[in-house]
Structures are given as C-alpha cells and as structure tokens.
C-alpha cells in the first residue's frame, strides 16, 4: 500500500479525504445536543464498541453536557485482516456494568451489513435496559442486510472502505482526525 502525507500532514494510505475534521466535529456537536435534549433527567450510559468507536465516543462525551456513565464492549466480526464482516459476531470483551433499568446508548463507528449492531442489540436487550438506542457515526446504507433501527446517525456514506477517526486499515490509521477513502 502506497503511503503518502495528507494536506493535514498525517501519514495515510493512498486515499481521498471523505469527511474533514471540522465537519466531523460540527456534526458530533449536533448529535450531542440531541442526546442532551433526549436524555435530560435520565440515567444514561453510553456503551462504546471497541476499537473503532473510541474516537467518536470521546468526542461525543466531550460535547454531551448531561451526566452519563460509559462502558466498553469489544466484538469481532471480521476475520483477521479481512474487510468484510463474516456474519459471525463474537464478544471479545464484555461490559463491566449491569445495564438493567438503565438508558443505554450504543455508540458505534460504522454500520455496514448491520450484522454487528443487530447482534449487539439482541444481546443488550436481553439484559433488560430501561431503553436501548443506537448512535452510529457512519451509515453505509446501501450495504444493509440486517435491518437495525438507528436513532442517531452522523453521516450516510457511499459503499466504499473508509478509515480514520477510529476506523482502521489493518489496525493502523485509527489516529487520523478525518475519514478517508482508500484509493489503491
Ligand atoms: P457490519 O457488521 O457489516 O455492519 O460491520 C460493522 C463493523 O465492520 C464496524 O463496526 C466496523 O468495525 C467494520 N467496518 C465496516 N465497514 C468498514 C469500513 O469501511 N472501514 C473500516 N471498518 C469497517
Ligand atoms: Mg467497529
């Protein structure tokens, strides 16, 4: 893979920038304002799906003003090095918190086929939360195979492999402050 430098000065694979940092941040501020309004006075816990959701969660938390707890879950739906989910989702790390009677907001980097979020939704609903909503930064809508209700979506994006802002290319480039599209 050819490695270049972006106009922003970051080492990145050969790519185009799809969503600039300012645009990401502006949208996250809007999503946080919606979350503030929707969850005022409620016992909110944001659950981040590792590793891809971590940048999004931390920015979303920063802009959400109501009190809220956080917790993490790690799942694997890709084979090692693969770029499509296998359909078989495994929980690699479970929550530390009991979510029963809590208002849960599941925070994910991207929804593609919907298999990962569909599976996680079923797992979490079985634990009897007071409510469960889903917040995905990116939605590759045309790829959907499993219908999952989304409550908050950052951006609808085309059917292309994206990276940056938490999303990786073979575990690298999660640090980039923008969303890029591979051009190999
Ligand atoms: P799904 O189960 O097909 O919806 O895939 C969801 C998971 O696949 C996400 O949590 C991501 O980790 C990963 N994923 C899907 N599309 C991309 C992409 O374009 N770049 C990086 N990761 C992706
Ligand atoms: Mg993910």
């Amino acid at each position: 893979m050819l490695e270049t430098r972006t106009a922003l000065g970051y080492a990145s694979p050969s790519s185009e920038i799809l969503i600039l940092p300012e645009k990401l941040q502006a949208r996250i501020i809007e999503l946080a304002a919606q979350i503030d309004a929707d969850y005022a006075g409620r016992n909110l816990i944001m659950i981040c799906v590792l590793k891809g959701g971590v940048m999004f969660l931390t920015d979303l938390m920063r802009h959400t003003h109501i009190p809220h707890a956080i917790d993490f879950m790690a799942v694997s739906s890709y084979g090692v090095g693969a770029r499509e989910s296998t359909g078989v989702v495994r929980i690699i790390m479970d929550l530390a918190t009991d979510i029963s009677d809590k208002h849960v907001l599941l925070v994910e980097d991207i929804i593609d086929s919907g298999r990962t979020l569909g599976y996680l939704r079923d797992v979490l609903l079985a634990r009897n939360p007071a409510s469960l909503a889903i917040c995905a930064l990116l939605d590759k809508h045309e790829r959907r195979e499993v219908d999952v209700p989304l409550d908050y979506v950052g951006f609808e994006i085309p059917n292309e492999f994206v990276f940056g802002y938490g999303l990786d290319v073979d575990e690298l480039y999660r640090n980039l402050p923008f969303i890029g599209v591979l051009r190999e």
Side-chain angles (χ1 to χ4, degrees):
M1 189 187 306
L2 184 64
E3 191 168 85
T4 56
R5 279 192 182 269
T6 63
L8 297 171
Y10 291 84
S12 158
S14 183
S15 61
E16 276 168 31
I17 295 182
L18 183 67
I19 310 175
L20 282 163
E22 307 81 72
K23 204 171 158 191
L24 280 173
Q25 295 302 320
R27 183 68 185 126
I28 291 168
I29 287 169
E30 289 177 353
L31 292 173
Q34 257 180 280
I35 291 166
D36 274 336
D38 295 349
Y39 287 93
R42 289 189 183 177
N43 197 355
L44 172 64
I45 177 162
M46 293 195 201
I47 294 180
C48 171
V49 186
L50 295 173
K51 303 170 199 168
V54 73
M55 282 261 209
F56 180 36
L57 174 81
T58 55
D59 280 336
L60 196 62
M61 289 173 69
R62 245 185 285 273
H63 295 293
T64 300
H65 301 299
I66 58 164
H68 60 276
I70 57 166
D71 203 349
F72 298 90
M73 235 173 148
V75 296
S76 161
S77 53
Y78 284 13
V80 177
R83 300 229 171 122
E84 297 233 347
S85 68
T86 54
V88 183
V89 184
R90 277 189 312 134
I91 295 182
I92 292 171
M93 190 191 88
D94 208 340
L95 300 174
T97 324
D98 175 6
I99 58 164
S100 59
D101 299 326
K102 299 204 174 122
H103 292 280
V104 173
L105 182 62
L106 190 54
V107 177
E108 190 31 330
D109 51 2
I110 186 167
I111 178 164
D112 185 10
S113 70
R115 288 181 187 135
T116 306
L117 277 177
Y119 172 83
L120 276 175
R121 185 169 178 273
D122 291 345
V123 166
L124 296 177
L125 281 176
R127 299 180 188 180
N128 300 311
S131 69
L132 175 64
I134 298 180
C135 177
L137 179 64
L138 306 174
D139 179 7
K140 268 194 215 174
H141 197 73
E142 56 186 276
R143 295 259 303 170
R144 199 75 83 260
E145 289 168 27
V146 176
D147 196 25
V148 184
L150 300 178
D151 301 274
Y152 307 90
V153 175
F155 303 89
E156 268 200 27
I157 61 163
N159 178 16
E160 294 194 84
F161 191 81
V162 293
F163 66 93
Y165 198 72
L167 295 140
D168 70 306
V169 182
D170 301 336
E171 288 301 323
L172 299 179
Y173 309 113
R174 296 187 195 273
N175 59 306
L176 301 175
F178 56 84
I179 300 288
V181 179
L182 279 187
R183 292 278 175 257
E184 285 169 303

